[in-house]
Amino acid sequence: KTIIEGLTNSIDLLRNKKQDISWYDSTWFLEDLEPILGISLIALQNYINGSIKDFSDTTNNKTRFFKFSPTINGFEKSGIELIIGLANFYKHKEDTEIHSITKLTLESFELEINKDYEIENSPIIKGILLLDKDQDLNNIIKLVKSWRDNLWATQ
């Protein structure tokens, strides 16, 4: 099994919990969901960066490879750029300041990056919904694998 399969199983357990336990409402669900999605984004980021290293022997200038993915409808940046931005946000959300490139990326997707956001406005939750309306990590990994295929097809 892959890391993503394990994290998907965790999300399924939360969805079942939401259906089975009356007090476990959407707010509790989102509070529990956000860290699972954050870990998923970091795993995808590592896969993306590893793919770039495999392709070019270095991760220098890696941002140029992020563009080998289609833009998300209505936005100027790609799904890969969103994954990288969300992963960086998740890793550093407790820092005093969010890195300017991460901030610009998330703002380009109209995601709120206020440190005191309500869980319903979490950039992680809303960003995953931009990547897949069903929050299905399997669909997001397909997007990343398609990006990797496109990367190798450019040779």
Side-chain angles (χ1 to χ4, degrees), residues 106-125:
L106 297 184
E107 286 174 347
S108 77
F109 287 102
E110 301 172 3
L111 297 172
E112 180 180 329
I113 54 171
N114 175 355
K115 289 187 82 139
D116 299 321
Y117 60 83
E118 297 292 324
I119 193 63
E120 294 81 12
N121 295 321
S122 161
I124 303 299
I125 302 290

Side-chain angles (χ1 to χ4, degrees), residues 45 48-53 55-56 58-69 76-85 88 99-102 104-105 147 151:
Q45 180 185 42
I48 291 164
N49 288 335
S51 295
I52 292 169
K53 177 94 167 104
F55 180 75
S56 70
T58 181
T59 56
N60 294 341
N61 300 313
K62 63 185 171 191
T63 56
R64 68 187 176 103
F65 295 110
F66 300 160
K67 302 260 185 225
F68 285 71
S69 174
E76 64 184 45
K77 293 190 180 288
S78 73
I80 297 300
E81 290 172 291
L82 179 56
I83 290 167
I84 298 297
N88 286 332
H99 189 275
S100 61
I101 293 173
T102 300
L104 287 171
T105 299
W147 164 83
L151 184 67

